[in-house]
Amino acid sequence: MKNAKALICIDIQNDFCPGGALAVAQGDDIIPLVNQMMHTAKSDGQAVILTQDWHPDNHASFADNHENAQPFDMVEMSYGGQVLWPKHCVQGSQGAAFHDMLHSDSADLVIRKGFRKEIDSYSAFFENDQSTPTGLHGYLQERGITKLTMVGLATDFCVAFSALDGAKLGYDVSVDLAACRAIDLDGSLAAQLDAMRTAGISLINQ
Ligand code: VGL
Ligand code: ZN
């Protein structure tokens, strides 16, 4: 099929919801709307794709794995600057599971990211070195998908990085902000909304 569409739901996992290790304020509020969007997308013949942040316990993005480091410190990695996070979304843990309310069974594809110890992956397309692919681009190409709607957590990290990479790869990308929530670290939300606008991404329901 040519010019098919996909709904991509980013990281709607327990650790990014209230009570989780890296909780995004009101992260779980988006779930009823995301469920509705998944249902509508399926009825319309669109692909539904979920991403899942999926880190080993010794992941380099965890402050715990660095000496004298605190969560939210910035450090230099071989691929550039990296925020250090509280330990979150450890492979197989309850925190890494999709939120119970999310109708995750309706997904065509679950793409996991951040599973290599030495490198983080915010984007659903490329790891933070901006060159190691996750395989999502190949999947979308094989299905003839050119239009993407993105929703999920967090607006200013994994959603924005995924949307920006999608636009760079030539996809027609929309982000529905009613179904996103942000971390907002040192102005990151405003900066990423600006970057997305500049990249020609449609920001819906702002
Ligand atoms: C995310 C920080 C670390 C996200 C994932 O899903 O936005 N943020 N890992
Ligand atoms: Zn992560």
Side-chain angles (χ1 to χ4, degrees), residues 141-153:
Q141 283 182 313
E142 279 212 309
R143 291 192 57 175
I145 292 165
T146 56
K147 288 177 180 247
L148 310 177
T149 299
M150 298 203 184
V151 298
L153 307 171

Side-chain angles (χ1 to χ4, degrees), residues 123 125 148 150 161-173:
S123 164
F125 289 102
L148 310 177
M150 298 203 184
F161 275 72
S162 300
L164 288 164
D165 278 348
K168 219 178 284 173
L169 289 167
Y171 293 94
D172 174 349
V173 183

Side-chain angles (χ1 to χ4, degrees), residues 53 55 88 120:
D53 211 39
H55 301 307
H88 65 278
D120 206 1

Side-chain angles (χ1 to χ4, degrees), residues 60-107:
S61 79
F62 297 163
D64 278 3
N65 295 326
H66 296 256
E67 266 177 53
N68 304 316
Q70 298 300 315
F72 310 108
D73 285 354
M74 272 299 283
V75 293
E76 274 306 306
M77 303 279 204
S78 58
Y79 51 83
Q82 168 74 46
V83 181
L84 295 182
W85 301 105
K87 186 182 280 199
H88 65 278
C89 297
V90 173
Q91 296 170 359
S93 69
Q94 196 47 35
F98 291 116
H99 193 288
D100 270 348
M101 256 168 30
L102 185 72
H103 297 166
S104 54
D105 287 352
S106 60

Side-chain angles (χ1 to χ4, degrees), residues 16-196:
F16 297 120
C17 290
L22 180 42
V24 178
Q26 281 112 42
D28 54 345
D29 283 10
I30 65 171
I31 298 174
L33 178 57
V34 172
N35 284 338
Q36 210 176 76
M37 291 175 79
M38 291 198 293
H39 184 79
T40 305
K42 293 232 76 140
S43 314
D44 189 38
Q46 300 180 25
V48 171
I49 296 165
L50 305 182
T51 69
Q52 193 171 26
D53 211 39
W54 196 250
H55 301 307
D57 189 68
N58 59 353
H59 197 249
S61 79
F62 297 163
D64 278 3
N65 295 326
H66 296 256
E67 266 177 53
N68 304 316
Q70 298 300 315
F72 310 108
D73 285 354
M74 272 299 283
V75 293
E76 274 306 306
M77 303 279 204
S78 58
Y79 51 83
Q82 168 74 46
V83 181
L84 295 182
W85 301 105
K87 186 182 280 199
H88 65 278
C89 297
V90 173
Q91 296 170 359
S93 69
Q94 196 47 35
F98 291 116
H99 193 288
D100 270 348
M101 256 168 30
L102 185 72
H103 297 166
S104 54
D105 287 352
S106 60
D108 297 355
L109 174 74
V110 174
I111 190 131
R112 288 175 169 165
K113 60 186 181 60
F115 49 76
R116 287 187 182 85
K117 160 187 175 290
E118 65 284 354
I119 184 167
D120 206 1
S121 186
Y122 295 149
S123 164
F125 289 102
F126 296 104
E127 303 196 12
N128 285 9
D129 61 0
Q130 296 179 307
S131 64
T132 306
T134 62
L136 179 59
H137 185 40
Y139 178 88
L140 295 172
Q141 283 182 313
E142 279 212 309
R143 291 192 57 175
I145 292 165
T146 56
K147 288 177 180 247
L148 310 177
T149 299
M150 298 203 184
V151 298
L153 307 171
T155 320
D156 44 342
F157 286 91
C158 291
V159 176
F161 275 72
S162 300
L164 288 164
D165 278 348
K168 219 178 284 173
L169 289 167
Y171 293 94
D172 174 349
V173 183
S174 303
V175 172
D176 191 332
L177 293 170
C180 296
R181 290 293 182 276
I183 295 175
D184 202 11
L185 199 61
D186 299 326
S188 56
L189 178 58
Q192 292 290 47
L193 291 175
D194 247 27
M196 288 193 278

